[in-house]
Amino acid sequence: MKRLNDDLTVSPQMPIEALDHIAQAGFKTIICNRPDNEDPGQPPFSAVKARAEELGLTAVFQPVMSGNVQDGDADAFAKALNESPKPVFAYCRTGTRCAILWSLANAGKMPVEDIVKTAADAGYDMSGLAPRIAARS
């Protein structure tokens, strides 16, 4: 788990059993940025959602193709973050897709350098994305 700020932590795919720990840690919302069947053995979002809701968590499915994050995806992610109970736990295959979505969603809200540094502090290199973040500002 990598904390980007007080409202958002990102993570690689976790087993469904980890949802108990996520709820116990105080998270209120789960956002899944993985399409179903992206990898063999990956739990389907329907199972994640069912367990999350049993635990009182809001579950949001916003699948984004790896390596193909569009501006519309970042806008939808920003909307989900704004409208969801916080803190939010977002996951994908490695956490990078979630970090990219967060970075693009914050274009114009934070200086590009701060976005890149925040992501880097969490272990995600967004330096190559800086021109795109700047263009969205």
Side-chain angles (χ1 to χ4, degrees):
M1 295 184 349
K2 310 277 181 125
R3 185 176 167 271
L4 288 173
N5 59 32
D6 291 342
D7 291 338
L8 180 64
T9 296
V10 300
S11 169
Q13 176 74 54
M14 75 294 176
I16 291 178
E17 301 78 38
L19 288 168
D20 293 0
H21 301 289
I22 291 165
Q24 290 168 1
F27 290 96
K28 305 293 183 205
T29 300
I30 299 283
I31 297 177
C32 173
N33 293 127
R34 290 192 86 180
D36 277 342
N37 302 312
E38 187 175 53
D39 284 326
Q42 164 191 341
F45 180 71
S46 59
V48 172
K49 180 178 181 174
R51 182 64 186 142
E53 290 178 349
E54 286 174 6
L55 295 166
L57 300 169
T58 299
V60 177
F61 189 44
Q62 190 209 343
V64 176
M65 295 299 296
S66 181
N68 192 26
V69 177
Q70 302 295 310
D71 285 347
D73 298 324
D75 295 339
F77 190 76
K79 183 176 188 219
L81 284 177
N82 289 335
E83 295 177 356
S84 297
K86 293 171 188 54
V88 173
F89 184 95
Y91 72 93
C92 59
R93 183 181 313 154
T94 66
T96 301
R97 207 171 328 171
C98 301
I100 291 169
L101 288 162
W102 174 84
S103 297
L104 293 171
N106 278 286
K109 298 175 188 167
M110 295 172 62
V112 175
E113 300 79 22
D114 291 351
I115 293 170
V116 171
K117 181 181 183 327
T118 298
D121 289 348
Y124 297 102
D125 181 4
M126 297 293 127
S127 59
L129 195 63
R132 186 168 167 200
I133 297 168
R136 279 183 53 93
S137 298

